[in-house]
Amino acid sequence: MKKIILLLLMLCSITTFGQYTKIQEDVDLSIAFGQSFAPSLSYQKLYGLGKNKRFKMGWGLRANGLFGGEKTYRTAPARLTSGQYSIFALFSDDIVSNIDTLQLSKSELGSLNVKIALQYSFKKFDVGFNIDAIGVSFGGKQTGKFLSSASSSLNNSVQSASPSVFNLLLISDSDLGSLNSELYASYHLDSKWSLRAGLSFQFLEYKTDRLLTFENDRFRHKILQPFLAISYHLPSKK
């Protein structure tokens, strides 16, 4: 709960910059491709900081979709994957004996999230990073094969699973639900339009209908793939 409150306070503090700085507003359509087809539609508001306003930070709303074939989902909770939380999980080895897998024949899910964005602007180019912070996911139920070395009775069993509903950024395996992030560069075609390209990193999470081994029902797949996007810039505000 403390982390949720901190995140909401951070988002609120970002919006207060709009009272004192130049504002940039964008509507953006991106498509990530490779292992899956993943379109995203987003709106964002950036606030220029510093003397020249080249460094910008802000927030936005992003609707994500992902459509792909067979994928393997691994045990999701950080308490099982590494026993570490937040940023410490990034530098911890997996506890292999705790990790089970759920094989799904397809992945079809969507999410609507609030995102946080950072950007540095040059004359014709921008470089930036954004990441989903909090939101909800949705999608249909499906069945998959559960594989586990910890339970002979559950190993190779068929389980039903649906996308986890609640999404929350807590860093690495501590994250909840399905989240998207982008590292990108953009080129300004003119004052209204830009082309963006970069890498999209998505966490996808399904939740089984019942608790399985280690009292766990959450399984995650991580996917990194390139994306292309087009952005429309709304008239800038002072």
Side-chain angles (χ1 to χ4, degrees):
M1 180 59 69
K2 290 182 179 179
K3 292 181 178 180
I4 296 176
I5 294 173
L6 180 61
L7 180 60
L8 292 175
L9 288 174
M10 182 170 62
L11 291 172
C12 290
S13 66
I14 288 174
T15 62
T16 61
F17 290 129
Q19 301 176 30
Y20 312 104
T21 62
K22 185 177 180 180
I23 298 174
Q24 175 186 324
E25 293 182 272
D26 306 318
V27 178
D28 184 278
L29 174 64
S30 69
I31 297 177
F33 52 89
Q35 302 177 49
S36 299
F37 174 72
S40 295
L41 178 65
S42 68
Y43 162 83
Q44 71 175 10
K45 180 179 286 189
L46 300 176
Y47 306 99
L49 306 177
K51 183 177 180 179
N52 56 22
K53 306 296 189 289
R54 290 186 180 275
F55 178 70
K56 302 171 183 177
M57 64 186 301
W59 64 277
L61 295 173
R62 175 159 50 200
N64 302 295
L66 186 132
F67 308 90
E70 181 176 347
K71 289 183 176 21
T72 297
Y73 288 72
R74 303 169 75 245
T75 297
R79 66 177 177 84
L80 294 175
T81 59
S82 65
Q84 301 291 328
Y85 297 92
S86 192
I87 195 169
F88 298 104
L90 285 170
F91 308 103
S92 302
D93 294 331
D94 286 342
I95 304 174
V96 178
S97 59
N98 287 351
I99 297 176
D100 301 319
T101 59
L102 180 67
Q103 296 178 344
L104 298 180
S105 60
K106 62 181 180 179
S107 295
E108 296 180 352
L109 66 160
S111 62
L112 179 62
N113 295 321
V114 176
K115 69 174 183 177
I116 299 169
L118 300 173
Q119 181 175 287
Y120 191 87
S121 297
F122 300 91
K123 185 175 182 180
K124 294 286 288 185
F125 291 91
D126 302 319
V127 292
F129 173 77
N130 59 62
I131 189 167
D132 290 345
I134 189 171
V136 294
S137 292
F138 45 87
K141 180 182 293 187
Q142 60 177 295
T143 57
K145 181 184 290 187
F146 177 65
L147 301 177
S148 173
S149 60
S151 172
S152 57
S153 61
L154 289 174
N155 188 42
N156 283 313
S157 63
V158 176
Q159 303 292 335
S160 296
S162 303
S164 296
V165 174
F166 181 57
N167 309 324
L168 181 64
L169 176 67
L170 295 172
I171 303 179
S172 190
D173 283 358
S174 297
D175 291 345
L176 303 175
S178 298
L179 301 167
N180 186 17
S181 62
E182 294 176 341
L183 180 65
Y184 66 87
S186 65
Y187 175 74
H188 293 263
L189 300 174
D190 54 34
S191 61
K192 293 184 177 180
W193 296 95
S194 292
L195 292 177
R196 290 195 311 124
L199 293 173
S200 167
F201 185 45
Q202 295 198 45
F203 276 27
L204 312 173
E205 185 177 293
Y206 273 80
K207 191 173 182 179
T208 54
D209 287 352
R210 53 179 290 201
L211 292 174
L212 301 174
T213 53
F214 308 110
E215 297 296 302
N216 176 52
D217 58 0
R218 295 172 49 221
F219 297 86
R220 176 182 295 131
H221 181 79
K222 302 176 184 179
I223 181 169
L224 177 68
Q225 53 188 8
F227 78 88
L228 295 174
I230 186 165
S231 301
Y232 176 75
H233 307 292
L234 280 67
S236 62
K237 301 176 182 180
K238 300 294 184 179

